[in-house]
Amino acid sequence: NTDYYGQTTCEFEGLTTADILQLLYTSTGGPNWMVNDGWSEYASGVTSDGVTNTGDVCTWYGVQCETVGYNDVLGSVVKIVLKKNNLIGSIPSELYQLSSLRHVDLASNGINFKLDDIAQWKDLTFLSLSHTMVRDYSTIGNAKALTVLELEGNNIAGRIPDGIFDLVNLVKLDLSENKLTGYFPNQITALSKMQLLYLDGNAISGSIPNSIKKLSNLVTLNLSGNALTGHLPFELEKLTKIRTLSLAKQEAPGLVGSLLSFSGNTDLIYLELNGNSLTGSIPDSFLELSTVGASDGAITVMLHDNLLTGTIPENLATFQNMDIELRDNLITGRIPQDICMKLEWNHGNVGDYACKGI
């Protein structure tokens, strides 16, 4: 039972929810947080108007409680958001005793957090620890309910742990800007609910597997800035929901072979393939089925710094607004006049400089 809304008594060590959150406060330099409303008053025992602070955690900055019954008593803490709040130190393991937590965002703080007991957060669906000091996430597979996992920019090294592939409910996975190595994991294609996959800025090698087509719900795939090799698999064109596809700047030689037409990717609005070794000409059918081309929407195509030859296909003139980079290739011939009259292309440069704006 609870004495009042927001103060749950835990079964472990007789700690209340307020006690546990105060451990978080004191362990991470709470007095120096950028915002600590509620937390600091409880620590001092009084509120700003001199009233004794009884520990209604649901009013504390960054804390959200359940307003209806959910697997626990009324007032259970279900969400903690303290990102970019100058937390410095180690997150106490007692935080796992808040078993109703569903959303934890501690990103962009100077914290370390051992994930050994994360299985206690059975209902956790969102976890963001990006830009922290978290390095070991080998036990993350025990957080079975996760739909969003963000670990960007943590200097995490080594291969992606197998536990990641047990998170079958993942919709978003962000492991970008780390030091990940090893081949692109074929097992990741079993995460069929995935919509947003960010593995850019690592040192992942090997080729993109044909099984990439199994990620049929992908809206964004960013693998830029790795060491991928091989051809662009035709199966990329079977990602019919994809809107952003970024495979740029692979370590030399990078991706090789022909450019796909991407005619099956009708919703594509951002294509980034620059900084590779793609050869051959731009297909005449390039993006020809794009729904963006039939509207006034803008599409971005980055093909510069490759080995492309041939000419620019005339069908691109169907796009009213395109930002396209083709420099540092081996493309020859005249630019189609219809393209030179696209005044909005390349942020208006074509309108200002005609064909020279391409």
Side-chain angles (χ1 to χ4, degrees), residues 37 71 75 127 134 165 180 268 290 322 327:
D37 296 350
N71 287 358
L127 179 62
V134 173
F165 314 127
L180 299 175
L268 193 63
S290 171
M322 175 179 280
R327 56 183 168 79

Side-chain angles (χ1 to χ4, degrees), residues 26-200:
T26 57
S27 298
T28 58
N32 296 317
W33 289 4
M34 297 183 69
V35 184
N36 57 15
D37 296 350
W39 303 75
S40 59
E41 287 86 355
Y42 183 78
S44 66
V46 295
T47 63
S48 57
D49 56 6
V51 178
T52 300
N53 191 313
T54 54
D56 183 0
V57 301
C58 303
T59 64
W60 295 7
Y61 173 77
V63 177
Q64 180 177 319
C65 295
E66 186 60 72
T67 56
V68 295
Y70 178 82
N71 287 358
D72 204 341
V73 295
L74 184 70
S76 295
V77 174
V78 294
K79 187 174 184 178
I80 297 176
V81 178
L82 295 170
K83 62 182 178 181
K84 297 182 180 179
N85 203 39
N86 199 39
L87 279 68
I88 299 176
S90 296
I91 304 300
S93 60
E94 286 84 356
L95 196 65
Y96 288 117
Q97 295 176 22
L98 302 181
S99 58
S100 294
L101 274 171
R102 286 178 275 171
H103 185 119
V104 175
D105 189 346
L106 301 175
S108 300
N109 287 294
I111 58 169
N112 194 9
F113 192 8
K114 293 184 178 180
L115 303 177
D116 298 353
D117 298 320
I118 199 166
Q120 294 185 40
W121 286 344
K122 295 180 180 179
D123 298 309
L124 187 71
T125 60
F126 183 104
L127 179 62
S128 182
L129 296 171
S130 294
H131 301 289
T132 64
M133 299 172 65
V134 173
R135 305 286 185 269
D136 182 4
Y137 63 121
S138 57
T139 57
I140 196 64
N142 294 325
K144 302 295 186 183
L146 272 180
T147 60
V148 174
L149 175 61
E150 298 175 341
L151 291 169
E152 173 191 0
N154 285 0
N155 288 317
I156 298 172
R159 297 174 180 270
I160 298 174
D162 289 342
I164 286 283
F165 314 127
D166 293 329
L167 301 177
V168 295
N169 294 306
L170 275 184
V171 173
K172 178 183 180 182
L173 175 62
D174 190 346
L175 297 176
S176 60
E177 304 301 330
N178 282 293
K179 297 180 180 178
L180 299 175
T181 55
Y183 290 127
F184 182 88
N186 187 56
Q187 306 98 302
I188 208 167
T189 61
L191 303 180
S192 58
K193 295 181 181 179
M194 189 79 70
Q195 296 179 23
L196 307 168
L197 178 57
Y198 300 91
L199 297 177
D200 48 299

